[in-house]
Amino acid sequence: MTLEFDTHFEPRYGEPVEIAPGIRRVTVRNPSPFTFHGTNSYILGSEGSLAVIDPGPEDQEHLEALLAAIGDRPLTHIFVSHTHRDHSPLAAKLAEITGAKTVAEGPHRPARPLAIGETNPLDVSADTAFQPDIKFADNGLIKGDGWAVRAIHTPGHTANHLAFALEGTGITFSADHVMAWSTTIVAPPDGAMTDYMASLDKLIAREDRLLLPGHGGPVLKPQQFLRGLKAHRKMRERAVVERLATGDRTIPEIVKAIYRDTDPRLHGAAALSVFAHLEDLVAQGRVRTEGTPTLDSAYLLS
Ligand SMILES: [Zn+2]
């Protein structure tokens, strides 16, 4: 199964772009290697009250763009997919101005307890201040004027990651779990590969017709793309197992071999991805290590 990424995307910063009836996208001007052209905020609703999905980072220009798009209509809910600094921080200010309630699975947390002496390299990207007004559990439903949003707990990228299904439309907002332009970052201890793979299966079972991600353009063929993402991770997993079979023991050794054609500046991110696979392989019982798996552990095939 081949996995094809779609990197065609025109952000049109500050301007609401209608994606489907009752769905508008406003992209933040925060482009980077991790955010692509920027974070996508979505505005739901066409008659009556509105909701926002992922208000984005603290950014005055984007706040003004959202408020202009909302106009004088009431905003009732601000849905937050996960607590990364490019998605959730603007929720507080937008809620204060509009009176909307913030909705999310819960505050930021790692996917597992930290090992003794383990530091978390992902702390800088987390919005640990965010606390939702309303906790939205898996399969929960919130209704507004002409829209209803169902929570799909999709941990893996972060432990509290939610996708949001727009009931009755076949459209799901996949945030950072599934994006058309790139694979997502799955990095312990905030992320977990075991969870991520299960969350891919969860979306495969839904048979949506369109996914609207947190960065870049839509996923037009979700089934094919989701299966491609799964196959891609399985291929990486096989590569990690092969390196262990040839005698590599540590994450830097494996990264050097598997990512030899990759820009060395990306080797830090690559190490976290290999770490995520090793943690999952240990959980599967196929690889062993002493104690909790960490970035510095030595690994052996079982
Ligand atoms: Zn994220």
Side-chain angles (χ1 to χ4, degrees), residues 83-94:
T83 41
H84 275 157
R85 288 189 176 279
D86 54 333
H87 289 261
S88 54
L90 197 59
K93 202 168 273 175
L94 188 61

Side-chain angles (χ1 to χ4, degrees), residues 151-202:
I152 311 167
H153 189 211
T154 43
H157 175 68
T158 63
N160 64 359
H161 193 287
L162 292 179
F164 300 111
L166 195 57
E167 285 285 284
T169 65
I171 297 174
T172 287
F173 298 88
S174 53
D176 283 10
H177 176 47
V178 175
M179 301 177 284
W181 71 284
S182 167
T183 56
T184 192
I185 292 176
V186 180
D190 288 8
M193 190 61 72
T194 314
D195 293 346
Y196 170 73
M197 294 301 269
S199 293
L200 285 181
D201 285 335
K202 214 166 178 178

Side-chain angles (χ1 to χ4, degrees), residues 69-139:
I70 291 163
D72 50 17
R73 309 258 290 281
L75 183 74
T76 56
H77 296 87
I78 301 166
F79 294 95
V80 169
S81 65
H82 68 296
T83 41
H84 275 157
R85 288 189 176 279
D86 54 333
H87 289 261
S88 54
L90 197 59
K93 202 168 273 175
L94 188 61
E96 191 189 306
I97 294 170
T98 61
K101 297 280 182 231
T102 59
V103 185
E105 195 265 350
H108 195 79
R109 64 176 186 276
R112 57 156 172 83
L114 262 64
I116 294 159
E118 184 183 18
T119 54
N120 188 343
L122 309 166
D123 278 345
V124 286
S125 58
D127 175 11
T128 51
F130 177 81
Q131 293 281 349
D133 297 322
I134 300 171
K135 284 196 178 177
F136 207 16
D138 185 40
N139 213 31

